[in-house]
C-alpha cells in the first residue's frame, strides 16, 4: 500500500497557515460534548491536555507515574531550538527547516518539518509567559547557545534543566485545567490495550497500578504521547519505566509502526561501569559547546592520566574529521566517531570504552566561574556518579541508546492510519527523519501539544458524533478480558528467570547486533535469537506477587513482552533498509572514509510496518518522500 501523508501542497511557507484555515472547526458549545483521552503527560501529552482543556474539550489524561510532572521529559537537559535569531547570526525559519531536514539525513517529510520550524518561535513566547526561567544575558535578553548540526546559536536553555523547567510550565497549565474541571487526571494507570470499534479508535484499557484493577475508558478520540522505545536495548539513557507498550498495543490493533530502525545513539553519556547497571546517564550535548572530544594518539598512552598527555599527543578527532562543525557535529556522526576511536584501541577508562570531553581550553578562555554558570549542575551530577571533578580532569563519555526517531505512522494531522488515534511527540515518526538534532525533541513535543493538535483534532471531531460509543460496547469487555488473560498467563508461568534477566539478554542481543553498527549477518543473527528469548519468556519467566496489588515485577514483565515482539519488527526494518542514513548505519553501505552512504533511488520512503502476528511476516507499506524545497544531497559536515 502507498500511504498518503495528507500534506498540503503549494508554497511551503503558506502550507500550515492554509491548512489551519481549511480545517473544520468545532464550535465552543459543542467542544464540551467531546471526550478526548490523552495517554502520557510529558511535554507533548501535558501540553496537549492543557491546550485542549483550555479550548473547552472534556479531557482525560493518563500517566503511569504518581504525578504528571514526573514524565521522562523532565530528564532533557540541554535546550530547545527556535528560529528567533536573537544573536543576529543568520538564523531563520528556513535555516531551522534546512538544518532539521539535513540533520535527519533527508528522511523526514518537508511539510511537517516546515511546520515545526514555523511554530518554534511561538513555543518560546508561550513558555516565557508561563514563567519558564530561560537563561538570560547581561542585558536581560533571552540567551542562546549552540548545538550539534547547526552553525548558528538557536538553543534556548535553563542551565542543564531545560526539560524539567519546560515540563513544570506545561504541568502548571495542566493543573489550571484540572482545577477548571476540563481535565481529569488518572495517575498510576498503565495503558494495556487500545479499543478499536469498527476500525476506529474509541478508548483504552488500562491497569490501575496500585490496586491491579483493569479499567475501561471510552473517548471520541485517543491521543498517545507516550515517548520512545530505546529501552529495547535494556541499557539506555531513558527512565526504566519508559516502554513501547502503549504504541505497540496500538500496533497490534492495526496502527502502522514507521521506521522503527531509526534509533539514536547519544554521544555524550557516562560510560557503563559494569554488568550491574540497569540504566545509563546522559550528559547534555550542550557540553560539546565548550568541551573538546579527544583520545590519545598512541595506544600506550591510554592508561596514563589525561593531564600527563601533552597536547601534541592528543587526537581531537571531531575537529580533525569535521573542521566546519568540529565538536558540534550531529549526534550520529559524533557517536560513530567515538566508537571508531575505541575500536582502534585508543579508548580510555575501564574497559577502554570511553573518550575524553575536556574543558581546560574553555576554562582558560572564559574562566571556571563562567563554565560553572553554564553547566554547573551537570558537572555536579557527573561528580556524584563518577567521583571525578570535571573542572580538574576531563569527563569520560561514550555513546548510549537515547531516542527513537521511529514511531507510529501519522499523517500531517498527527493521526495514525487508525481513525481517531492521534500520536504526538517521540511516539510518532514525524519530523526527525533518520537522526534527531539536539534540542529538537522538546521543540517537537511542545509544537505538537500546544500548536498542532488543537487544530488538527478539531478537523476529525467535526466529523464524529460525540459519545456515540461508550464503555458499554462489547469491544471494551473483550479488550479487558484479553488484558486479564495475558496477566493471568504471566503470573501462572512461575519459571526461573526474572523479567530483568530476560530483558538484559534481549538488550545484549539488540546492542551487539542492532546497535551503532548493523550488518546483514548481525541482523539475521538477532532475528534468530529474539524469538528464542521470547519463547523462553513465555515458558520460564518468574513473576512474583499477584495482580490485585502494586506489582512492579508484573509491570516489567508486561513491558518486556511487548519489547520482545517489537524488537523483531525493528530488526526486520533495519535488515530491509539496505543503506546507511542518520542513526541507521549498515556497515555494507559506507564510503571509503567510513561515512554513511544513502541510497535515495531505492529507499527514499517511510517504511510503515503492519503487524500480522508473531511468526507471521509483517507487511511493509511505503510513503514516498518528496523533496521540492531542499534538494537531496550528500549529508556532509566537513
Amino acid at each position: 500500500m502507498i500511504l498518503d501523508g495528507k500534506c498540503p501542497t503549494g508554497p511551503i511557507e503558506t502550507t500550515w497557515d492554509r491548512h489551519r484555515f481549511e480545517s473544520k472547526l468545532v464550535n465552543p458549545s459543542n467542544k464540551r460534548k467531546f471526550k478526548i483521552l490523552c495517554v502520557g503527560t510529558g511535554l507533548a501529552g501535558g501540553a496537549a491536555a492543557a491546550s485542549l482543556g483550555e479550548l473547552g474539550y472534556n479531557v482525560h489524561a493518563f500517566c503511569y507515574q504518581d504525578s504528571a510532572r514526573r514524565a521522562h521529559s523532565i530528564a532533557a537537559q540541554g535546550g530547545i531550538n527556535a528560529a528567533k535569531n536573537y544573536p543576529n547570526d543568520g538564523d531563520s525559519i528556513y535555516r531551522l527547516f534546512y538544518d532539521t531536514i539535513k540533520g535527519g539525513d533527508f528522511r523526514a517529510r518537508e511539510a511537517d518539518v516546515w511546520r515545526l520550524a514555523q511554530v518554534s518561535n511561538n513555543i518560546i513566547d508561550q513558555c516565557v509567559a508561563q514563567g519558564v526561567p530561560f537563561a538570560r544575558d547581561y542585558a536581560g535578553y533571552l540567551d542562546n547557545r549552540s548545538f550539534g548540526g547547526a552553525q548558528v546559536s538557536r538553543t534556548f536553555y535553563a542551565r542543564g534543566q531545560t526539560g524539567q523547567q519546560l515540563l513544570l510550565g506545561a504541568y502548571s497549565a495542566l493543573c489550571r485545567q484540572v482545577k477548571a474541571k476540563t481535565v481529569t487526571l488518572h495517575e498510576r494507570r498503565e495503558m494495556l490495550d487500545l479499543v478499536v470499534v469498527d476500525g476506529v479508535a474509541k478508548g483504552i484499557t488500562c491497569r490501575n497500578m496500585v490496586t491491579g484493577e483493569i479499567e475501561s475508558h471510552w473517548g471520541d478520540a485517543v491521543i498517545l504521547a507516550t515517548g520512545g522505545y530505546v529501552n529495547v536495548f535494556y541499557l539506555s539513557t531513558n527512565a526504566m519505566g519508559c516502554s513501547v507498550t502503549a504504541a505497540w498495543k496500538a500496533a497490534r490493533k492495526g496502527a502502522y509502526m514507521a521506521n522503527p530502525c531509526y534509533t539514536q545513539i547519544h554521544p555524550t553519556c557516562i560510560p557503563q561501569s559494569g554488568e550491574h547497571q540497569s540504566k545509563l546517564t546522559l550528559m547534555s550535548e550542550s557540553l560539546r559547546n565548550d568541551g573538546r572530544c579527544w583520545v590519545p594518539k598512541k595506544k600506550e598512552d591510554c592508561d596514563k592520566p589525561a593531564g600527563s598527555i601533552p597536547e601534541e599527543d592528543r587526537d581531537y578527532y571531531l575537529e580533525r574529521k569535521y573542521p566546519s562543525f568540529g565538536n558540534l557535529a550531529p549526534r550520529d556522526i559524533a557517536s560513530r566517531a567515538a566508537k571508531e576511536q575505541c575500536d582502534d584501541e585508543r579508548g580510555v577508562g575501564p574497559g577502554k570504552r570511553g573518550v575524553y570531553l575536556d574543558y581546560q581550553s574553555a576554562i582558560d578562555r572564559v574562566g571556571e566561574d563562567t563554565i560553572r554558570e553554564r553547566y554547573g549542575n551537570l558537572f555536579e551530577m557527573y561528580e556524584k556518579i563518577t567521583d571525578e571533578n570535571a573542572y580538574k580532569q576531563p569527563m569520560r563519555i561514550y555513546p548510549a541508546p537515547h531516542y527513537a526517531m521511529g514511531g507510529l505512522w501519522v499523517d500531517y494531522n498527527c493521526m495514525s492510519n487508525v481513525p481517531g488515534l492521534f500520536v504526538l511527540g517521540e511516539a510518532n515518526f514525524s519530523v526527525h527523519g533518520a537522526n534527531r538534532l539536539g534540542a529538537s525533541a522538546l521543540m517537537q513535543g511542545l509544537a505538537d501539544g500546544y500548536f498542532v493538535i488543537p487544530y488538527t483534532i478539531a478537523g476529525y471531531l467535526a466529523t464524529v458524533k460525540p459519545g456515540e460509543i461508550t464503555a458499554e460496547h462489547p469491544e471494551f469487555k473483550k479488550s479487558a478480558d484479553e488484558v486479564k488473560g495475558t496477566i493471568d498467563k504471566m503470573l501462572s508461568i512461575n519459571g526461573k528467570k526474572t523479567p530483568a534477566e530476560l530483558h538484559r539478554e534481549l538488550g545484549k542481543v539488540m546492542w551487539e547486533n542492532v546497535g551503532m553498527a548493523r550488518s546483514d549477518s548481525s541482523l539475521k543473527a538477532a532475528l534468530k535469537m529474539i524469538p528464542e528469548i521470547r519463547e523462553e519468556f513465555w515458558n520460564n519467566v518468574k513473576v512474583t506477587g499477584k495482580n490485585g496489588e502494586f506489582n512492579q515485577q508484573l509491570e516489567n514483565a508486561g513491558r518486556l513482552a511487548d519489547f520482545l515482539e517489537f524488537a523483531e519488527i525493528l530488526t526486520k526494518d533495519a535488515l530491509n533498509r539496505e543503506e546507511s542514513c542518520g542513526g541507521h548505519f549498515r556497515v555494507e553501505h559506507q564510503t571509503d572514509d567510513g561515512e554513511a552512504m544513502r541510497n535515495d533511488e531505492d529507499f527514499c520512503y517511510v517504511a510503515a510496518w503492519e503487524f500480522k502476528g508473531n511468526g507471521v511476516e509483517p507487511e511493509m507499506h511505503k510513503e514516498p518522500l518528496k523533496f521540492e524545497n531542499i534538494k537531496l544531497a550528500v549529508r556532509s559536515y566537513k
Side-chain angles (χ1 to χ4, degrees):
M1 180 195 298
I2 301 298
L3 294 170
D4 178 11
K6 299 188 175 70
C7 296
T9 56
I12 198 162
E13 294 83 1
T14 63
T15 47
W16 176 230
D17 295 331
R18 282 188 291 103
H19 186 76
R20 284 188 299 174
F21 177 74
E22 292 167 2
S23 295
K24 293 180 180 179
L25 301 175
V26 178
N27 81 53
S29 61
N30 283 340
K31 283 174 182 167
R32 67 180 70 98
K33 300 175 184 176
F34 287 100
K35 182 178 177 184
I36 300 172
L37 308 184
C38 187
V39 185
T41 59
L43 287 182
S51 300
L52 295 169
E54 177 71 35
L55 286 170
Y57 292 105
N58 175 19
V59 181
H60 286 246
F62 301 79
C63 65
Y64 70 80
Q65 299 92 346
D66 61 347
S67 167
R69 63 176 287 182
R70 295 191 190 277
H72 188 60
S73 303
I74 205 170
Q77 298 168 340
I80 176 170
N81 288 332
K84 287 283 197 182
N85 194 30
Y86 285 165
N88 200 26
D89 58 357
D91 202 7
S92 64
I93 290 173
Y94 189 88
R95 188 174 293 278
L96 176 52
F97 165 60
Y98 172 83
D99 287 345
T100 307
I101 289 286
K102 177 185 174 184
D105 219 347
F106 300 89
R107 290 293 177 264
R109 283 196 201 117
E110 280 193 333
D112 294 48
V113 177
W114 174 267
R115 176 174 63 189
L116 177 70
Q118 181 180 335
V119 304
S120 66
N121 293 338
N122 302 105
I123 296 170
I124 304 304
D125 297 337
Q126 169 96 351
C127 294
V128 169
Q130 290 174 338
V132 173
F134 285 123
R136 293 177 181 267
D137 63 18
Y138 183 75
Y141 294 109
L142 293 179
D143 204 2
N144 290 104
R145 59 186 177 198
S146 315
F147 251 67
Q151 291 178 307
V152 296
S153 296
R154 64 162 66 103
T155 303
F156 295 78
Y157 64 99
R159 296 187 76 189
Q161 307 169 356
T162 314
Q164 180 178 5
Q165 299 303 329
L166 290 171
L167 186 62
L168 288 173
Y171 178 67
S172 65
L174 182 62
C175 288
R176 181 173 179 272
Q177 298 310 314
V178 172
K179 185 177 181 182
K181 294 185 168 51
T182 62
V183 175
T184 304
L185 264 179
H186 302 268
E187 291 109 338
R188 305 298 286 152
R189 304 302 201 280
E190 183 167 27
M191 173 183 157
L192 294 180
D193 199 17
L194 177 72
V195 180
V196 177
V197 179
D198 297 327
V200 179
K202 286 295 181 182
I204 62 171
T205 302
C206 57
R207 179 178 182 269
N208 183 317
M209 295 163 68
V210 177
T211 67
E213 183 183 356
I214 303 303
E215 302 174 349
S216 296
H217 296 270
W218 68 270
D220 297 300
V222 178
I223 296 172
L224 296 188
T226 50
Y229 49 75
V230 293
N231 273 353
V232 71
F233 293 100
Y234 184 65
L235 284 178
S236 83
T237 65
N238 283 198
M240 293 187 67
C242 296
S243 73
V244 76
T245 289
W248 187 245
K249 297 304 188 186
R252 289 184 64 93
K253 286 296 179 75
Y256 299 158
M257 185 64 72
N259 298 336
C261 76
Y262 290 163
T263 55
Q264 182 169 78
I265 311 298
H266 197 294
T268 318
C269 302
I270 298 177
Q272 183 181 353
S273 60
E275 291 295 317
H276 62 282
Q277 274 185 263
S278 55
K279 80 174 295 295
L280 298 171
T281 302
L282 169 70
M283 300 303 294
S284 169
E285 182 183 324
S286 64
L287 292 165
R288 288 197 281 140
N289 272 302
D290 291 302
R292 301 175 71 193
C293 298
W294 66 274
V295 292
K297 288 182 179 178
K298 305 171 190 172
K299 297 175 186 177
E300 54 268 27
D301 287 348
C302 290
D303 290 319
K304 294 180 181 178
S308 69
I309 301 174
E311 193 73 15
E312 61 270 18
D313 289 336
R314 301 180 179 187
D315 179 11
Y316 293 93
Y317 57 90
L318 287 175
E319 297 169 35
R320 168 175 57 83
K321 293 187 69 173
Y322 309 101
S324 294
F325 284 75
N327 294 293
L328 290 176
R331 291 177 176 179
D332 58 320
I333 288 173
S335 294
R336 284 196 296 273
K339 180 179 185 293
E340 187 180 287
Q341 312 315 308
C342 295
D343 289 347
D344 194 32
E345 298 181 13
R346 292 187 295 134
V348 297
K352 298 293 185 288
R353 286 281 150 183
V355 299
Y356 289 128
L357 186 59
D358 195 333
Y359 293 87
Q360 194 57 53
S361 295
I363 290 171
D364 292 343
R365 186 178 70 253
V366 300
E368 185 175 314
D369 288 344
T370 300
I371 297 299
R372 198 178 296 275
E373 286 174 12
R374 292 173 180 171
Y375 314 107
N377 62 306
L378 296 170
F379 277 64
E380 290 166 15
M381 183 174 72
Y382 181 82
E383 186 167 7
K384 283 181 180 178
I385 293 171
T386 65
D387 198 28
E388 295 175 6
N389 185 340
Y391 296 107
K392 305 300 180 188
Q393 64 187 91
M395 288 183 180
R396 288 177 295 104
I397 58 170
Y398 192 69
H402 175 60
Y403 189 88
M405 284 79 69
L408 291 175
W409 183 87
V410 292
D411 62 18
Y412 188 73
N413 293 314
C414 289
M415 188 163 75
S416 75
N417 60 293
V418 176
L421 176 65
F422 294 80
V423 191
L424 310 181
E426 189 178 357
N428 75 30
F429 87 100
S430 175
V431 294
H432 304 301
N435 173 59
R436 177 174 74 81
L437 290 184
S440 61
L442 304 184
M443 178 172 59
Q444 185 205 357
L446 292 179
D448 285 357
Y450 283 140
F451 299 109
V452 177
I453 195 65
Y455 291 98
T456 61
I457 201 169
Y460 169 75
L461 292 175
T463 67
V464 173
K465 183 180 177 182
E468 189 173 22
I469 302 240
T470 68
E472 304 303 315
H473 193 281
E475 283 296 329
F476 283 85
K477 183 180 186 306
K478 180 182 175 185
S479 172
D481 289 344
E482 288 174 358
V483 167
K484 289 173 186 173
T486 301
I487 289 172
D488 291 343
K489 183 177 179 181
M490 285 190 288
L491 287 167
S492 68
I493 294 168
N494 199 29
K496 296 182 178 178
K497 283 192 175 181
T498 66
E501 286 178 280
L502 290 163
H503 197 168
R504 191 176 283 112
E505 286 180 28
L506 173 65
K508 190 173 182 181
V509 168
M510 295 301 290
W511 178 245
E512 291 181 357
N513 297 281
V514 202
M516 259 195 287
R518 303 159 174 180
S519 67
D520 181 84
S521 58
S522 75
L523 294 167
K524 286 177 178 173
L527 287 172
K528 184 173 181 294
M529 290 184 276
I530 294 166
E532 293 171 357
I533 300 172
R534 187 168 64 239
E535 185 176 355
E536 183 173 16
F537 172 88
W538 287 110
N539 288 284
N540 195 33
V541 72
K542 172 123 183 133
V543 182
T544 56
K546 52 185 186 291
N547 182 29
E549 61 185 11
F550 177 69
N551 189 339
Q552 287 186 304
Q553 284 286 296
L554 179 59
E555 296 162 21
N556 294 337
R559 294 165 191 164
L560 176 56
D562 295 318
F563 275 133
L564 284 164
E565 293 181 353
F566 170 73
E568 197 164 1
I569 215 162
L570 187 162
T571 309
K572 286 180 185 292
D573 187 39
L575 184 62
N576 170 75
R577 192 165 283 278
E578 289 273 2
E579 65 168 352
S580 291
C581 57
H584 169 64
F585 191 77
R586 287 283 297 268
V587 298
E588 303 94 339
H589 304 288
Q590 57 181 306
T591 62
D592 293 338
D593 56 351
E595 300 297 333
M597 190 183 290
R598 273 199 339 260
N599 179 352
D600 293 330
E601 187 176 340
D602 297 319
F603 292 96
C604 195
Y605 60 75
V606 176
W609 295 85
E610 181 181 0
F611 180 72
K612 299 280 193 178
N614 289 319
V616 181
E617 279 298 308
E619 183 179 353
M620 185 181 73
H621 308 283
K622 297 181 181 180
E623 180 195 341
L625 291 170
K626 299 175 184 176
F627 293 91
E628 298 169 343
N629 298 275
I630 298 175
K631 292 183 179 178
L632 286 164
V634 174
R635 177 174 175 248
S636 174
Y637 291 91
K638 295 183 177 182

